[in-house]
């Protein structure tokens, strides 16, 4: 499942079950997927869109008493102290007073947690309660974790816990990755490389110390921004992040950018400048134009891009809009989309 579909499910779960209307059982989404594909980021993005406060709890890093509350003597009996992760009534109300609509309790690394922690969480996700402490109605619980096949220290989850979760299995998606990278103003050359060689979007290697994932590729983008780095050091810095094979492929792609047509000349003469025939240069050129496009030159660049195959037009428009949503109001783009229904459906 794509991240954008998972996001819709989580948002609808929050909108329709937070507050437990009519006493209905809460929905607890469980984002299951390989490492580094954006599970935690997705929850934070949902919280931002819905104006909710996030409390993150890494279940694998806590003792059972930290999750369920520590028992202390209380006269002739024992009492359970409120666990640290659970906000007090005063803190919860303070968050609402700041304008937040509620609190998302996000429990990460669920499969990596000890079985005792998983059993305690089973009560939290199903009853919105831990011991005698009940979560306020303006609370929502969700969780995430990696697959057992990724060898990330996962444990077999109890069946009663699985039955209480809404398991959303997500996979890395190239368009979602591109949208994220451009929305964060990351290096477009990394996106064009992955579009050209999509196998490097997520190439998990159990025996390697470094391999490509969407998360590691974002870090590669940051490495490329380092100043005064010689070619050899840059190659090794990248290979430390995504491995030597992927690093060599990316460096080759970076060198291809030097063979792209001059972007200023494209804007000046979009219908006469020569269109590159090498597919790698085509991907590199499109990524350069995504960085170049603005409200003033959109019409000119569309004239040039239309001379490519249809998929490159879709890449250009999708990535440009991901980088700058205001371009959807550009008159030249709107005119083009009105004449190409297929591209319009892909982009919108």
């Amino acid at each position: 499942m794509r991240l954008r579909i998972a996001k819709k499910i989580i948002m609808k779960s929050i909108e329709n079950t937070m507050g437990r209307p009519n006493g209905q059982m809460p929905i607890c989404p469980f984002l299951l997927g390989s490492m580094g594909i954006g599970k935690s980021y997705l929850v934070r993005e949902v919280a931002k869109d819905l104006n909710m406060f996030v409390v993150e709890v890494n279940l694998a890093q806590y003792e059972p008493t930290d999750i369920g509350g520590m028992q202390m003597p209380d006269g002739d009996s024992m009492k359970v102290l409120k666990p640290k992760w659970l906000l007090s009534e005063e803190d919860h109300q303070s968050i609402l007073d700041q304008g937040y609509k509620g609190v998302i309790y996000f429990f990460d690394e669920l499969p990596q947690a000890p079985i005792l922690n998983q059993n305690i969480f089973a009560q939290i996700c199903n009853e919105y309660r831990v011991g005698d402490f009940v979560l306020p109605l303006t609370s929502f619980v969700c969780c995430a974790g990696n697959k057992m096949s990724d060898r990330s220290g996962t444990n077999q989850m109890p069946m009663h816990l699985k039955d209480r979760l809404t398991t959303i299995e997500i996979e890395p998606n190239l368009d979602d990755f591109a949208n994220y990278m451009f929305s964060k103003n990351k290096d477009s050359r990394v996106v064009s490389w992955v579009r050209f060689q999509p196998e490097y979007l997520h190439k998990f290697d159990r025996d390697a110390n470094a391999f490509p994932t969407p998360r590691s590729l974002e870090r590669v983008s940051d490495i490329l921004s380092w100043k005064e780095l010689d070619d050899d050091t840059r190659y090794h810095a990248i290979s430390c992040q995504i491995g030597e094979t992927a690093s060599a492929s990316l460096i080759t792609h970076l060198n291809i950018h030097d063979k792209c047509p001059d972007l200023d000349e494209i804007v000046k003469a979009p219908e006469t400048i020569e269109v590159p025939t090498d597919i790698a240069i085509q991907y590199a050129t499109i990524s350069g134009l995504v960085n170049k496009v603005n409200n003033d030159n959109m019409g000119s660049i569309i004239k040039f891009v239309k001379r490519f195959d249809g998929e490159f037009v879709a890449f250009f428009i999708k990535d440009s809009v991901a980088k700058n949503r205001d371009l959807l109001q550009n008159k030249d783009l709107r005119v083009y989309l009105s004449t190409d229904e297929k591209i319009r459906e892909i982009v919108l």
Side-chain angles (χ1 to χ4, degrees):
M1 184 185 302
R2 289 185 58 175
L3 284 171
R4 66 178 180 85
I5 298 176
K7 180 180 179 180
K8 291 180 181 178
I9 294 174
I10 296 175
M11 294 183 74
K12 284 299 179 182
S13 299
I14 294 175
E15 292 170 0
N16 291 280
T17 70
M18 193 173 73
R20 277 78 81 197
N22 303 317
Q24 73 178 76
M25 297 177 66
I27 297 291
C28 182
F30 170 40
L31 293 172
L32 177 63
S34 297
M35 64 191 75
I37 63 175
K39 300 185 293 294
S40 301
Y41 171 78
L42 178 61
V43 174
R44 299 184 194 113
E45 190 176 60
V46 167
K48 180 180 179 181
D49 289 350
L50 295 181
N51 191 29
M52 297 185 69
F53 186 87
V54 180
V55 174
E56 296 191 30
V57 184
N58 191 314
L59 284 166
Q61 296 179 4
Y62 283 82
E63 296 292 332
T65 52
D66 296 327
I67 302 299
M70 182 176 293
Q71 290 191 350
M72 296 289 289
D74 185 22
D76 295 333
S77 61
M78 302 290 289
K79 69 176 181 180
V80 178
L81 301 180
K82 181 183 71 67
K84 187 176 181 180
W85 59 265
L86 180 60
L87 296 172
S88 67
E89 293 182 7
E90 294 78 10
D91 288 340
H92 189 98
Q93 185 59 50
S94 174
I95 287 171
L96 298 181
D97 292 341
Q98 294 174 44
Y100 289 101
K101 294 182 178 178
V103 175
I104 296 178
Y105 286 97
F106 173 47
F107 293 83
D108 203 2
E109 298 191 2
L110 175 60
Q112 289 90 333
I115 296 299
L116 281 175
N117 288 8
Q118 294 186 16
N119 284 326
I120 296 170
F121 179 71
Q123 181 187 49
I124 297 172
C125 72
N126 192 57
E127 303 176 25
Y128 274 42
R129 178 173 66 87
V130 52
D132 295 330
F133 299 96
V134 179
L135 276 65
L137 291 177
T138 47
S139 303
F140 185 80
V141 175
C142 62
C143 54
N146 297 332
K147 298 179 179 179
M148 289 192 69
S149 58
D150 288 348
R151 289 185 178 179
S152 52
T154 56
N155 298 307
Q156 182 64 46
M157 291 168 52
M159 292 306 298
H160 75 283
L161 173 55
K162 289 184 178 181
D163 184 54
R164 300 178 184 195
L165 302 173
T166 302
T167 302
I168 304 172
E169 190 165 347
I170 56 177
E171 301 290 343
N173 178 271
L174 184 50
D175 285 336
D176 291 339
F177 170 71
N179 289 343
Y180 171 80
M181 291 287 281
F182 284 117
S183 70
K184 297 296 182 180
N185 290 315
K186 298 299 181 179
D187 198 308
S188 65
R189 296 174 297 176
V190 176
V191 177
S192 66
W193 169 58
V194 178
R195 283 209 184 279
F196 178 54
Q197 294 187 278
E199 68 270 21
Y200 287 117
L201 175 62
H202 192 280
K203 199 169 186 177
F204 176 62
D205 185 347
R206 299 178 181 181
D207 300 317
N209 293 321
F211 47 84
T213 67
R215 180 167 55 202
S216 63
L217 292 174
E218 180 180 1
R219 290 189 174 125
V220 166
S221 171
D222 295 337
I223 291 172
L224 290 175
S225 69
W226 293 355
K227 304 297 183 183
E228 299 178 359
L229 204 64
D230 62 82
D231 291 343
D232 189 55
T233 304
R234 180 179 65 168
Y235 165 77
H236 284 94
I238 294 172
S239 64
C240 290
Q241 190 66 62
I242 59 175
E244 292 188 4
T245 302
S247 179
S249 175
L250 174 57
I251 294 298
T252 299
H253 186 78
L254 296 179
N255 293 334
I256 286 174
H257 274 261
D258 296 334
K259 302 178 182 179
C260 293
D262 185 278
L263 300 183
D264 290 328
E265 292 301 318
I266 289 175
V267 173
K268 292 178 182 178
E271 296 177 305
T272 58
I273 193 169
E274 185 177 354
V275 174
T277 56
D278 184 283
I279 190 168
I281 299 177
Q282 290 179 341
Y283 276 105
T285 302
I286 291 297
S287 76
L289 290 172
V290 169
N291 273 345
K292 181 77 172 177
V293 69
N294 55 44
N295 194 57
D296 295 327
N297 62 25
M298 172 64 83
S300 183
I301 292 178
I302 285 179
K303 290 179 182 178
F304 177 75
V305 174
K306 282 166 53 178
R307 299 166 60 195
F308 285 70
D309 290 337
E311 65 173 351
F312 286 101
V313 181
F315 291 158
F316 167 73
I317 296 177
K318 284 192 298 184
D319 291 349
S320 297
V321 170
K323 188 175 179 65
N324 182 4
R325 295 291 297 179
D326 292 342
L327 289 176
L328 280 174
Q329 305 305 317
N330 180 272
K331 65 176 183 178
D332 295 302
L333 178 57
R334 291 171 69 88
V335 168
Y336 175 74
L337 291 178
S338 69
T339 63
D340 195 320
E341 182 178 352
K342 184 177 179 180
I343 297 294
R344 185 171 67 253
E345 289 178 356
I346 292 174
V347 173
L348 303 180

